[in-house]
Amino acid sequence: MRARIIVCGLDSTGYKILCLLRQQGVPALGIHDRPIPGEDTGVVVGDQRSASVLVQAGIREAQTLVVASADEAKNLATLMQARVLNPRIRIVNRLFNTSLGDRLDQTLPDHVTMSVAALAAPVFAFAALGSQAIGQLRLFNQTWPINEEYISDRHPWRGRKLSDLWDSRSRMMIYYLPIGDQIDLVSAVLTGKKLEVGDRLLIGSKPNVRTSSHKSWLQKIVTIVTKVRYFHRYSRSVLLVALALIATIFATTIVYAGLQFNVSPIDALYFSMGMITGAGGQEEVVENSPDSIKLFTSLMMLVGAAVIGIWYALLNDFILGTRFRQLWSAASVPQAGHYIVCGLGGVGVQIATQLHSYGHEVVIIERDANNRFLNAIKSLKIPIIFGDAGLSTTLKAANVENAEALLSVTSTDSANLEVALNAKGIAPRIPVVVRYEDAHFAQMAKQIFDFKSVLSPSEIVAPAFAAAALGGRILGNGITADSLWICLATKITPEHPFCGKLAREVAMNADFVPLYIETASQTIHGWNLLDATLDPGDLLYLTIPGSHLEQIWRVTTMPDSSYATTIRAK
């Protein structure tokens, strides 16, 4: 059987995408630049940009191409070569450059751009905020964290009716997986079914966004005092040398004015300033003076040159070098209640932006003073500390002892582990979220070191790519019980099979969960949603198993801006 979906670039992310597609029963084949152990027939070995390799993989007959390599230049080359060979193929393209991706989506038909950083960052942010999110979902123009509730003996929802949880705007049931008889969520709600031990329930929770980020007068006063304190600490050497310079000028002025009665104090001061700074002036003060005064003048010229040279050097370094920037960053660091993001890479900048958008104070620790994301962070007025996050002094400068949480998200697993352990050594109770690329060792690291969360971006985003490959544009990701669940918005047209029917009827027949309906005049949710009739022009948001998705795409026109996914890998 020819592959319906081809996945190029089988690194940790690409191979996970390929495996997820196969788990859903989709004919899928991979392309990689080297053999993969255990993959004798399911992977074509070669350059994904090569026309012959793509043809061998069946590019002319395939419906979708997933370009999952971490090399953006290679992905763009693959995109162009694939479109030459099959102009109608649908392409899911992995790109970090979202502006380029948006332009490609607008220019090319059936092209979907996805970013690993943009998809993974919200899950990291939700973990730092205290939510054990397994994914994200775009609802009511906000990104909601998705959690899986496993009903245990001690779970507060055990024995509770599902109907009690249905009508809520702040908590939305995404999908229901019962331990016993298979029943869809809508039927379970309508029949008054109770939650039993072993049931799984996917829940979307409305994010807690701080409505005001304005500082109170007390906070502003504390900030000013802190800046003065840091200024005194960092500028001490400059001030000490300046005092030495002033003392030198004052001493020479006293000598000239006291030992030479024909010289006024103002003339003595003027000559001392010119002599020590090298500007000159009033040389007649010492022209007719005794030899002792001339020797004293020569000595003070040398001392003055040394002092003024040192002061100029310190002042230049403080103002034009890195010291002033370090001072300003340190002075801007919140004293408590903030989130520390270590590593300003693609994932780090997205996490910082996400936390900032929720109204939380954020501090960045980054060792590269020429990082390409600095301007983006500075535009948000987020303080940056330049230094090695693995050092205790750097972490203490970020006030790690009083922070709400620390996220170690550099591109190196060993560096992330070092930062997290050092942070735990300074503040044992601080919640730490760690980025670890190897998903297998990520769970081991969480268990051994008692971190709050250890997350693998490839593990987080692979389900989103897999769902997009099945036909939709995706904002979220995840998987539960090895099954892919997708949330989408489908526009009801006169030819749509759901048109004119009650939402509850089509939901039970097609095994999907309706979330809400957007009409021309209102948003319908809760119990009203189940009794609503689907009319032409309505936009129905729903979750559906990935294996059932194709029947929706055959008859549905998807809106450009309404889409999402929710799933989890166990």
Side-chain angles (χ1 to χ4, degrees):
M1 186 190 328
R2 302 297 288 179
R4 197 180 86 191
I5 299 176
I6 299 173
V7 182
C8 296
L10 302 184
D11 57 7
S12 58
T13 302
Y15 191 66
K16 180 66 177 177
I17 296 169
L18 181 64
C19 292
L20 284 175
L21 290 170
R22 290 173 176 174
Q23 286 179 12
Q24 311 311 310
V26 179
L29 182 143
I31 297 177
H32 201 45
D33 55 5
R34 57 187 179 276
I36 296 179
E39 292 283 354
D40 297 329
T41 59
V43 174
V44 175
V45 179
D47 189 342
Q48 66 183 50
R49 298 165 292 186
S50 169
S52 60
V53 172
L54 290 171
V55 170
Q56 182 183 352
I59 191 71
R60 291 194 173 99
E61 298 82 19
Q63 296 178 10
T64 303
L65 175 69
V66 180
V67 190
S69 168
D71 188 334
E72 291 195 351
K74 183 184 290 187
N75 291 348
L76 292 172
T78 305
L79 157 68
M80 292 184 285
Q81 184 64 74
R83 275 296 168 89
V84 170
L85 297 172
N86 185 351
R88 296 180 302 277
I89 193 169
R90 187 171 186 275
I91 295 179
V92 179
N93 199 357
R94 175 181 175 180
L95 290 176
F96 177 79
N97 189 332
T98 54
S99 59
L100 173 60
D102 291 341
R103 181 57 57 186
L104 289 173
D105 292 346
Q106 296 171 15
T107 304
L108 300 176
D110 292 325
H111 181 278
V112 179
T113 299
M114 303 187 74
S115 167
V116 170
L119 289 169
V123 179
F124 279 85
F126 290 141
L129 293 172
S131 171
Q132 295 296 330
I134 64 171
Q136 54 172 312
L137 180 65
R138 190 74 178 176
L139 293 176
F140 302 111
N141 298 318
Q142 286 184 311
T143 301
W144 292 38
I146 304 300
N147 301 88
E148 183 184 47
E149 296 288 344
Y150 177 80
I151 308 303
S152 62
D153 289 331
R154 298 183 179 181
H155 198 285
W157 291 355
R158 181 193 175 190
R160 190 172 180 182
K161 290 183 179 181
L162 284 164
S163 56
D164 295 340
L165 306 173
W166 177 257
D167 194 10
S168 173
R169 290 295 293 264
S170 61
R171 183 181 62 224
M172 194 169 292
M173 287 188 287
I174 304 301
Y175 217 87
Y176 172 53
L177 296 120
I179 188 64
D181 297 335
Q182 296 302 309
I183 183 174
D184 63 274
L185 178 59
V186 174
S187 298
V189 169
L190 294 175
T191 58
K193 191 176 189 313
K194 297 181 179 180
L195 289 168
E196 302 175 0
V197 175
D199 287 352
R200 296 171 184 264
L201 195 62
L202 296 185
I203 299 292
S205 303
K206 188 175 182 179
N208 182 20
V209 180
R210 294 185 179 180
T211 57
S212 176
S213 59
H214 297 291
K215 293 183 178 180
S216 65
W217 283 105
L218 179 60
Q219 289 175 310
K220 291 180 179 180
I221 293 174
V222 171
T223 300
I224 293 173
V225 172
T226 302
K227 289 185 177 183
V228 171
R229 181 163 53 87
Y230 272 100
F231 182 84
H232 175 70
R233 180 189 303 175
Y234 280 86
S235 60
R236 184 174 300 172
S237 58
V238 178
L239 293 176
L240 288 176
V241 176
L243 290 175
L245 179 61
I246 293 173
T248 302
I249 295 173
F250 181 72
T252 54
T253 301
I254 291 177
V255 170
Y256 292 131
L259 298 181
Q260 294 185 269
F261 300 104
N262 59 336
V263 178
S264 68
I266 299 300
D267 289 338
L269 175 63
Y270 183 74
F271 173 72
S272 299
M273 289 282 293
M275 174 192 65
I276 291 175
T277 60
Q282 287 294 107
E283 283 79 3
E284 59 270 15
V285 170
V286 295
E287 283 181 354
N288 301 317
S289 301
D291 291 342
S292 59
I293 295 295
K294 293 181 178 179
L295 288 174
F296 173 78
T297 301
S298 300
L299 178 63
M300 294 310 298
M301 285 181 177
L302 296 176
V303 173
V307 174
I308 199 69
I310 294 173
W311 188 71
Y312 278 153
L314 291 173
L315 187 63
N316 180 71
D317 176 67
F318 185 78
I319 299 298
L320 302 179
T322 60
R323 295 295 296 274
F324 188 78
R325 183 169 55 187
Q326 292 173 350
L327 164 64
W328 188 257
S329 296
S332 303
V333 173
Q335 297 302 297
H338 55 289
Y339 294 84
I340 303 173
V341 179
C342 303
L344 193 58
V347 176
V349 68
Q350 295 281 354
I351 294 171
T353 303
Q354 185 95 8
L355 291 171
H356 183 269
S357 69
Y358 288 153
H360 298 283
E361 291 188 295
V362 183
V363 176
I364 301 290
I365 298 180
E366 168 60 34
R367 63 168 54 190
D368 183 8
N370 298 313
N371 186 285
R372 59 175 175 160
F373 300 117
L374 288 181
N375 290 334
I377 293 299
K378 289 178 180 178
S379 67
L380 299 175
K381 298 182 179 180
I382 296 176
I384 305 172
I385 297 177
F386 292 97
D388 186 353
L391 300 177
S392 299
T393 52
T394 307
L395 292 173
K396 289 179 179 179
N399 295 325
V400 68
E401 301 96 331
N402 302 318
E404 286 289 333
L406 179 140
L407 300 98
S408 184
V409 290
T410 72
S411 58
T412 307
D413 289 347
S414 59
N416 290 334
L417 191 61
E418 179 186 6
V419 172
L421 291 175
N422 283 339
K424 278 287 189 180
I426 299 172
R429 295 185 178 180
I430 186 173
V432 175
V433 180
V434 182
R435 173 184 177 180
Y436 212 89
E437 290 297 333
D438 191 308
H440 174 67
F441 288 104
Q443 295 304 315
M444 296 174 60
K446 179 181 178 181
Q447 180 180 357
I448 294 173
F449 299 112
D450 193 29
F451 297 140
K452 180 178 179 61
S453 295
V454 182
L455 303 172
S456 168
S458 61
E459 190 78 6
I460 293 172
V461 306
F465 278 84
L470 294 176
R473 296 177 61 96
I474 306 303
L475 282 181
N477 54 291
I479 197 169
T480 185
D482 292 329
S483 297
L484 188 63
W485 306 100
I486 299 172
C487 175
L488 56 93
T490 175
K491 188 175 183 179
I492 306 300
T493 61
E495 297 79 19
H496 199 291
F498 299 164
C499 184
K501 297 181 180 179
L502 290 175
R504 69 164 75 189
E505 294 178 357
V506 293
M508 290 187 289
N509 292 333
D511 187 25
F512 70 78
V513 178
L515 303 179
Y516 63 96
I517 299 174
E518 284 185 353
T519 69
S521 59
Q522 63 178 328
T523 298
I524 305 174
H525 176 259
W527 292 109
N528 294 331
L529 168 64
L530 298 179
D531 296 327
T533 300
L534 297 170
D535 298 321
D538 290 349
L539 199 60
L540 172 63
Y541 288 77
L542 58 92
T543 53
I544 188 170
S547 57
H548 298 175
L549 183 61
E550 189 171 349
Q551 62 184 356
I552 298 291
W553 294 127
R554 288 198 189 105
V555 296
T556 299
T557 300
M558 280 293 295
D560 291 336
S561 61
S562 302
Y563 52 92
T565 275
T566 141
I567 23 195
R568 177 181 181 182
K570 291 293 289 180

